[in-house]
Amino acid sequence: GQQLNQSPQSMFIQEGEDVSMNCTSSSIFNTWLWYKQEPGEGPVLLIALYKAGELTSNGRLTAQFGITRKDSFLNISASIPSDVGIYFCAGPGQGGSEKLVFGKGTKLTVNP
Amino acid sequence: GAGVSQSPSNKVTEKGKDVELRCDPISGHTALYWYRQSLGQGLEFLIYFQGNSAPDKSGLPSDRFSAERTGGSVSTLTIQRTQQEDSAVYLCASSLFGASYEQYFGPGTRLTVT
């Protein structure tokens, strides 16, 4: 079945540093989404990407839809303590359903 | 506006009991989804509703799991004869028709089966 592989699994950074994480798949995706989940909460949609090569920003966050359609990247600039959480990539499931498949997440810790 | 709400936020039940989990989607969202998240894992799709119909229930792990949606709004996920492996966070999401991949999640129900 479809699998999304996220790396790294976890990151420990200092406040103010830039962060980069990625998501890869063995199959082609036509949509990529990035979510953030904080403890005890549901995932929050950060960025949605719909076109290969697309680069989209949301504040200090920038995400890119890889031109091969098999990967996507999320960058966070000038990290702050509230960036702490787990970042998930997601894409449409197979079979024409509206379901999403998710990666296992990248856990980000920001040291003040 | 109000987001997706779920109740209860936490549920502890004994093995073998039935449980019902409730989801109130964002007003006007026609699509509703249930996912399950086990500890340290990503989200696993369970079932999808468009209106009151469930075109995709392929993720339900066994016939002990069922879900319904009434009035195109509230949905209930029922787990019968709960097992310890059912322990997880159950997340509900909703979306607008035509923007189905942009799904908005509730806070989840943490289910613990003892």
Side-chain angles (χ1 to χ4, degrees), chain A:
Chain A
Q2 292 173 299
Q3 269 193 311
L4 294 178
N5 301 304
Q6 289 191 246
S7 64
Q9 282 188 305
S10 60
M11 303 181 75
F12 298 84
I13 64 169
Q14 294 297 125
E15 183 176 359
E17 289 183 358
D18 295 344
V19 172
S20 186
M21 60 188 76
N22 70 359
C23 183
T24 60
S25 171
S26 57
S27 36
I28 288 174
F29 280 78
N30 291 317
T31 300
W32 288 92
L33 304 112
W34 285 92
Y35 284 85
K36 177 189 177 187
Q37 186 176 29
E38 297 183 24
E41 302 292 327
V44 173
L45 180 63
L46 299 174
I47 293 177
L49 301 159
Y50 294 101
K51 188 176 176 183
E54 180 181 357
L55 193 70
T56 297
S57 293
N58 178 5
R60 293 177 297 105
L61 277 63
T62 301
Q64 183 162 24
F65 190 142
I67 56 173
T68 67
R69 299 189 175 188
K70 291 184 177 181
D71 54 14
S72 180
F73 307 88
L74 178 69
N75 296 312
I76 306 172
S77 62
S79 59
I80 59 178
S82 62
D83 290 333
V84 164
I86 302 177
Y87 291 80
F88 292 99
C89 62
Q94 285 177 328
S97 169
E98 305 299 319
K99 67 186 175 190
L100 293 176
V101 292
F102 284 81
K104 293 190 176 181
T106 292
K107 184 175 182 180
L108 179 63
T109 302
V110 180
N111 296 315

Side-chain angles (χ1 to χ4, degrees), chain B residues 4-11 20-24 34 74-77 90 92 107-110:
Chain B
V4 177
S5 61
Q6 293 187 244
S7 61
S9 55
N10 280 285
K11 177 73 177 178
E20 283 190 353
L21 312 179
R22 178 187 166 107
C23 172
D24 275 280
W34 284 97
V74 170
S75 176
T76 303
L77 177 69
Y90 289 82
C92 174
T109 293
R110 180 174 296 279

Side-chain angles (χ1 to χ4, degrees), chain A residues 31 33 35 37 40-43 45 48 50 88 92 97-100 102-104, chain B residues 33 35 37 40-43 45 48 56 58 91 100-107:
Chain A
T31 300
L33 304 112
Y35 284 85
Q37 186 176 29
E41 302 292 327
L45 180 63
Y50 294 101
F88 292 99
S97 169
E98 305 299 319
K99 67 186 175 190
L100 293 176
F102 284 81
K104 293 190 176 181
Chain B
Y33 315 80
Y35 292 85
Q37 186 176 30
Q41 299 296 311
L43 281 70
F45 168 79
Y48 151 61
D56 188 351
S58 62
L91 290 156
S100 296
Y101 299 129
E102 295 183 19
Q103 299 176 13
Y104 296 87
F105 284 82

